[in-house]
């Protein structure tokens, strides 16, 4: 079987790595950029290792990456974020984030009675008997829950942090998604970890595995810009070649698949997924020449819905000797209807809020900046997992193709969805052999 995978991000690399183990499968992994990794791309600047998309793994012991570690013999180290240094800022108050029972006892976010209620909620999620799974959305559940405002706000804020979305969107996350996600996370012994050395540690091993099989080639800077059916095969067209394949895997955001298939007989089958919205954030990375302050490993500003991770407090491999790497992320609401000027003003306001969070906790940071990267529109997840959006299935009825990526059906959110859907697609293809 001759397989084409279009897209060399985490999903495409995962599918290719699994398929490369099959003697009966050969193929080409097409990537339009000069490098692999997609949004999990890592680069070096002035001695700092910067990620385009960060490399935190939520619930590592129950994560697809741990399954891949065993099945594909991956080797990587990871380090847990210090939970005692994960803080929430509400009003003027700084308090531990209630990530586990120890922090829950310590936090000032809830009264004693509210803590009892919240412990009850966590226990029900762990036992998989929480009522939320029967509600269409988190908002619907909270409206009927009879919980105090502080408990409701805590639920919303947790979802904002894990899904990288605003409170309005948090209320639109489906109840069953919340139930599954937190069931996994609350049962995990390793809730938030970093892969030491960034995503490159994973992507390099996947790439080497694919290349070592001898049956696969990796075509960099070869974007696929056309596809048609001819005599029982799928003809893929790039600037460099036209080649026939038996099967095609799309491992790229659905927005880009829609563009690629425009004008082909397959275009109408993608219509249900065309209006999907992506999760976008503002990213504010700063590499500092020296450690300016290290009060927390993570500080979340509940007033403005943004956070800063001291990435180098957990992963020291990313900085030059004595340096510090901070990543600020601000959740963004969808495009405002007021047009470009309004959007510009909104983004400017978010930048100010971010800089003032740095000012409050990292005094004089501006004088120590060695590297800075600000992106006002970074796509965290290609399909936001909220009511109204539809994740793309791995197979779409009446379409001959396979789909994986963080906008597709799979386990978990963000990178885990890319890994798990890539693995699933490989499984489906192997079943065809
Ligand atoms: C700021 C930020 C922070 C994040 N933090 C985390 C985190 O802490 N933890 C976590 O788990 N996840 C995180 N993520 C999410 C994670 O990075 C993504 O979920 C993941 O990288 C998506 O991988 P993918 O393979 O689905 O898609 P992509 O990475 O988008 O890969 C698609 C690839 O297809 C290629 N392509 C597109 N069109 C074509 C074509 N026509 N021909 C050939 N190639 C094509 C693209 O160039 C790209 O390389 C973060 C993301 C961002 C932006």
């Amino acid at each position: 079987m001759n397989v084409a995978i279009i897209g060399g991000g985490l999903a495409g690399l995962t599918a290719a790595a699994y398929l490369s183990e099959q003697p009966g499968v050969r193929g080409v992994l097409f990537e339009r950029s000069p490098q692999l990794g997609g949004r999990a791309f890592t680069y070096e600047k002035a001695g700092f290792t910067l990620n385009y998309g960060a490399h935190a793994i939520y619930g590592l012991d129950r994560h697809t990456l741990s399954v891949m570690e065993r099945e594909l013999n991956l080797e990587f180290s990871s380090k847990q974020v210090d939970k005692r240094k994960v803080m929430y800022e509400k009003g003027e108050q700084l308090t531990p984030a209630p990530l586990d029972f120890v922090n829950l006892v310590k936090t000032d976010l809830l009264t004693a009675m509210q803590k009892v209620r919240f412990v009850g909620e966590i226990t029900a999620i762990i036992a998989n008997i929480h009522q939320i799974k029967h509600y269409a959305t988190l908002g619907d559940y909270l409206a009927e829950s009879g919980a105090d405002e502080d408990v409701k706000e805590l639920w919303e804020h947790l979802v904002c942090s894990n899904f990288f979305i605003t409170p309005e969107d948090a209320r639109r996350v489906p109840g069953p998604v919340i139930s599954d996600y937190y069931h996994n996370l609350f049962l995990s012994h390793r809730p938030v970890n970093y892969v030491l050395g960034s995503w490159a540690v994973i992507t390099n091993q996947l790439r080497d595995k694919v290349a070592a099989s001898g049956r696969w080639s990796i075509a960099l800077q070869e974007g696929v810009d056309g596809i048609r059916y001819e005599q029982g095969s799928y003809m893929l067209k790039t600037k460099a070649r036209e080649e026939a394949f038996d099967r095609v895997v799309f491992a790229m955001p659905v927005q880009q698949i829609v563009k690629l298939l425009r004008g082909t007989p397959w275009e109408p089958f993608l219509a249900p997924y065309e209006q999907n919205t992506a999760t976008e954030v503002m990213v504010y990375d700063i590499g500092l020449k020296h450690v300016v302050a290290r009060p927390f490993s993570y500080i979340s500003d509940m007033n403005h819905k943004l956070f800063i991770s001291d990435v180098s407090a957990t992963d020291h491999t990313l900085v030059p000797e004595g340096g510090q790497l901070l990543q600020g992320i601000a959740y963004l609401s969808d495009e405002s209807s007021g047009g470009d000027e309004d959007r510009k003003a909104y983004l400017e306001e978010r930048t100010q809020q971010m800089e003032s969070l740095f000012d409050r906790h990292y005094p004089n940071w501006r004088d120590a900046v060695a590297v800075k990267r600000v992106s006002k529109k970074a796509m965290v997840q290609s399909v936001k997992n909220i009511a109204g959006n539809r994740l793309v299935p791995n197979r779409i009825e009446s379409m001959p193709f396979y789909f994986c990526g963080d906008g597709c059906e799979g386990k978990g959110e963000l990178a885990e969805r890319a890994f798990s859907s890539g693995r699933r697609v490989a499984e489906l293809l192997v079943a065809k052999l």
Side-chain angles (χ1 to χ4, degrees):
M1 187 194 289
N2 191 13
V3 178
I5 298 180
I6 314 176
L10 296 180
L13 278 165
T14 300
Y18 275 101
L19 290 173
S20 70
E21 294 196 320
Q22 298 294 323
V25 183
R26 64 199 160 86
V28 182
L29 175 65
F30 291 98
E31 169 53 54
R32 70 177 173 188
S33 318
Q35 72 283 320
L36 294 167
R39 280 170 282 144
F41 164 57
T42 306
Y43 61 101
E44 305 283 323
K45 198 167 173 192
F48 291 85
T49 304
L50 295 163
N51 278 314
Y52 180 74
H55 59 305
I57 304 287
Y58 302 95
L60 180 59
D61 47 336
R62 303 172 66 85
H63 198 278
T64 304
L65 196 52
S66 294
V67 177
M68 289 168 58
E69 185 182 13
R70 285 193 304 276
E71 292 177 343
L72 296 174
N73 295 318
L74 302 180
E75 278 178 23
F76 62 91
S77 311
S78 60
K79 194 166 163 212
Q80 168 115 340
V81 171
D82 183 352
K83 283 188 275 188
R84 306 290 162 251
K85 288 193 159 185
V86 174
M87 305 294 277
Y88 281 178
E89 186 178 59
K90 185 177 173 186
E92 306 266 285
Q93 194 182 29
L94 268 176
T95 190
L99 294 183
D100 61 6
F101 287 101
V102 176
N103 279 18
L104 187 60
V105 170
K106 284 193 192 160
T107 191
D108 295 323
L109 287 175
L110 304 176
T111 63
M113 280 311 287
Q114 289 168 337
K115 286 178 188 178
V116 172
R117 159 134 200 172
F118 201 64
V119 168
E121 300 230 22
I122 294 177
T123 313
I125 290 267
I126 288 175
N128 214 359
I129 52 169
H130 198 291
Q131 288 305 310
I132 196 168
K133 65 180 168 192
H134 303 302
Y135 284 81
T137 63
L138 172 68
D140 292 343
Y141 165 72
L142 293 179
E144 284 187 23
S145 67
D148 293 347
E149 285 310 310
D150 288 335
V151 174
K152 290 184 182 173
E153 190 188 0
L154 182 56
W155 258 121
E156 258 175 34
H157 192 72
L158 275 179
V159 175
C160 291
S161 316
N162 290 118
F163 289 64
F164 287 61
I165 55 182
T166 58
E168 300 75 57
D169 281 334
R171 284 190 287 274
R172 296 170 63 201
V173 176
V177 171
I178 303 248
S179 172
D180 273 5
Y181 185 84
Y182 287 103
H183 174 72
N184 230 2
L185 198 61
F186 291 156
L187 272 176
S188 168
H189 297 292
R190 310 196 57 192
V192 192
N193 280 252
Y194 282 103
V195 175
L196 291 185
S198 86
W199 286 127
V201 170
I202 304 293
T203 52
N204 288 346
Q205 289 181 60
L206 295 174
R207 176 202 62 201
D208 293 348
K209 200 168 175 57
V210 174
S213 74
R215 292 179 291 271
W216 279 75
S217 60
I218 295 177
L220 292 179
Q221 285 183 290
E222 252 199 89
V224 174
D225 41 44
I227 175 163
R228 65 193 156 80
Y229 185 68
E230 196 177 282
Q231 294 173 352
S233 299
Y234 301 96
M235 298 294 294
L236 262 58
K237 192 168 130 327
T238 71
K239 284 202 171 63
R241 63 176 125 172
E242 223 179 14
E243 194 170 328
F245 294 89
D246 305 316
R247 299 272 189 267
V248 178
V249 175
F250 288 91
M252 56 210 252
V254 64
Q255 297 81 350
Q256 292 164 20
I257 305 175
V258 167
K259 274 191 203 149
L260 184 53
L261 294 185
R262 197 153 279 151
T264 70
W266 303 293
E267 181 181 354
F269 299 105
L270 284 174
Y273 312 98
E274 248 182 84
Q275 301 308 320
N276 277 330
T277 49
T279 307
E280 284 173 344
V281 297
M282 187 182 84
V283 185
Y284 202 119
D285 280 333
I286 46 173
L288 304 173
K289 285 179 226 150
H290 55 87
V291 178
V292 169
R294 184 148 275 163
F296 333 105
S297 44
Y298 172 99
I299 168 83
S300 178
D301 176 348
M302 289 181 81
N303 309 311
H304 300 107
K305 302 296 169 194
L306 33 93
F307 68 83
I308 296 173
S309 306
D310 185 342
V311 185
S312 53
T314 310
D315 188 350
H316 62 279
T317 67
L318 305 181
V319 289
E321 181 84 33
Q324 184 171 27
L325 182 64
L326 302 175
Q327 176 166 76
I329 298 240
Y331 314 130
L332 298 179
S333 58
D334 288 335
E335 303 280 325
S336 50
S337 49
D340 288 356
E341 281 308 308
D342 270 17
R343 189 69 184 169
K344 220 171 133 194
Y346 170 69
L347 291 173
E348 188 46 40
E349 187 192 356
R350 298 300 275 150
T351 310
Q352 301 288 332
Q353 291 166 341
M354 176 64 76
E355 290 181 346
S356 75
L357 186 63
F358 277 114
D359 288 338
R360 280 202 296 286
H361 302 295
Y362 300 92
N364 302 324
W365 62 275
R366 288 165 214 262
D367 300 334
V369 170
V371 178
K372 180 168 160 184
R373 184 192 74 113
V374 179
S375 162
K376 296 200 170 163
K377 201 179 162 144
M379 186 199 272
V380 175
Q381 185 148 301
S382 56
V383 178
K384 198 186 290 182
N385 204 353
I386 56 171
N389 278 345
R390 278 180 73 178
L391 293 167
V392 181
N394 304 123
R395 299 293 319 262
I396 297 178
E397 213 184 314
S398 309
M399 271 188 114
F401 308 123
Y402 295 74
F403 301 90
C404 55
D406 65 356
C408 294
E409 287 177 1
K411 175 177 172 285
E413 296 295 319
L414 314 181
E416 183 172 23
R417 192 177 283 290
F419 288 127
S420 58
S421 59
R423 180 174 173 272
R424 174 77 187 131
V425 155
E427 244 170 33
L428 291 171
L429 278 162
V430 170
K432 290 268 169 212
L433 279 177

